[in-house]
Amino acid sequence: MARHAATPESEKEKRRKWILLITLLLSFAVMVTSLFFLAKIRGWRVRRNDKTLLTIVNAETLAPADSAQTLTFIDDTHMVDARCAYELEQMLADCRAAGHDPCVLAAYRSESEQRELLNAMTEDYMADGSPLEEARRRAAEEVEQPGHSEHQLGLAVDIGGNTDETGTQRWLEEHAWEYGFILRYPAGGEGLTGGGCGENHFRYVGLDAAKQIRELGITLEEYVSMFYSN
Ligand SMILES: [Zn+2]
C-alpha cells in the first residue's frame, strides 16, 4: 500500500512532466498551424494563374500602355476581355434566375472614350451654369481621368438593375466572387482604392483571387501588395 502512495515530491515531478508535455503539444500545434498558413500563402502565390488579371489601375496608377487584350462583345454595345466573358455571362444569367434584372451599363472603354466621357460630363456641368474650372473639377469627381480607368483593361463592368437596382446589387455583392469578380470599391475602402468608378463597378480578377480577396475582406490594392509585390 505504502509503496503506491505518492510522496509530495513525486506529485510535483508528475505535474512538471504534465506541464512539459502540454507545453510541447502546444508548441507543436503552433508550429503545425504556422506551417499550414505558410503553405496556404505559398499555394496562393504559386497559383498566381495570370498576374495580368490583377493589374492595378487607379488615380495614381496608369493603365499599362501595352494592354493588348482580346475583346469580345457581350451584347450589342459592350465589349470585355475575352477571359472574363463566359463568367460574366454566367453571373448575369444566375442573377436573372434568382429573380433580379441586371443590365450592363458600362464595360470596356478605350482611353479616348474615357476622355470623351469626361469631356461630356464637363460640358453637362457647363450647360448647367458652372464655369469651366468648376465644371472640370465636378466632372473629375465622377469620372476618372483618361488612362486611369479600369474599364480600359476590359476586366471591369458597371452593372445596374432595370427595375430592381438594390436587389440586383445585393445579389452581385454576395455572389460575384463565385464568378471571379470582386466589388472593386467596397464602402470604407476608399482610402486605398480612391473610390474609383462607384458602387456598381465589378472587376474580374479570376476565381482564386476573387475567393481569397473575399475571404480576407481586403481591397485589390491590399491583396496585390500582400501577395504580389516583390
Ligand atoms: Zn466602372
Side-chain angles (χ1 to χ4, degrees):
M1 287 291 276
R3 72 199 150 107
H4 293 296
T7 64
E9 280 78 14
S10 72
E11 274 297 332
K12 205 182 272 178
E13 190 64 30
K14 216 185 268 177
R15 206 177 300 141
R16 201 173 292 145
K17 276 182 186 162
W18 271 111
I19 289 171
L20 185 67
L21 185 67
I22 289 167
T23 310
L24 280 172
L25 281 173
L26 278 175
S27 311
F28 184 68
V30 167
M31 206 170 74
V32 168
T33 314
S34 311
L35 282 173
F36 171 77
F37 278 112
L38 277 175
K40 199 169 175 188
I41 288 168
R42 191 163 175 277
W44 288 356
R45 289 181 65 97
V46 168
R47 261 188 321 194
R48 52 167 82 181
N49 40 12
D50 185 350
K51 208 181 162 189
T52 61
L53 292 178
L54 301 174
T55 302
I56 297 275
V57 178
N58 57 28
E60 279 87 43
T61 312
L62 267 171
D66 61 344
S67 48
Q69 63 279 77
T70 307
L71 295 168
T72 183
F73 277 98
I74 46 163
D75 55 29
D76 291 343
T77 49
H78 298 108
M79 287 192 289
V80 294
D81 184 312
R83 292 173 296 173
C84 69
Y86 174 76
E87 271 139 355
L88 174 61
E89 278 162 13
Q90 286 297 305
M91 179 167 79
L92 295 173
D94 290 349
C95 186
R96 279 186 205 105
H100 306 293
D101 59 352
C103 60
V104 173
L105 303 171
Y108 169 76
R109 268 200 301 269
S110 67
E111 188 169 342
S112 58
E113 284 168 332
Q114 186 71 24
R115 184 169 291 111
E116 283 165 23
L117 190 68
L118 187 64
N119 290 343
M121 185 68 80
T122 307
E123 282 162 21
D124 280 353
Y125 278 119
M126 287 176 74
D128 283 347
S130 295
L132 178 63
E133 279 314 305
E134 189 192 317
R136 277 194 181 138
R137 183 182 53 74
R138 291 175 73 181
E141 281 169 11
E142 289 177 49
V143 179
E144 292 149 313
Q145 295 295 319
H148 289 278
S149 167
E150 269 197 343
H151 287 277
Q152 200 177 320
L153 298 172
L155 295 169
V157 276
D158 296 341
I159 305 173
N162 282 311
T163 56
D164 171 27
E165 187 107 24
T166 312
T168 302
Q169 178 74 16
R170 283 211 192 105
W171 189 94
L172 289 169
E173 283 178 20
E174 191 62 33
H175 296 279
W177 68 276
E178 296 165 22
Y179 306 86
F181 283 85
I182 57 166
L183 179 70
R184 180 66 176 86
Y185 308 109
E190 295 84 355
L192 292 154
T193 64
C197 188
E199 62 178 14
N200 60 0
H201 175 108
F202 291 86
R203 160 73 188 267
Y204 187 75
V205 289
L207 293 169
D208 285 334
K211 186 166 181 277
Q212 291 149 14
I213 288 169
R214 182 175 171 91
E215 277 175 4
L216 294 166
I218 55 176
T219 62
L220 182 58
E221 277 81 359
E222 289 170 293
Y223 180 73
V224 169
S225 78
M226 273 168 87
F227 298 112
Y228 292 90
S229 60
N230 294 313

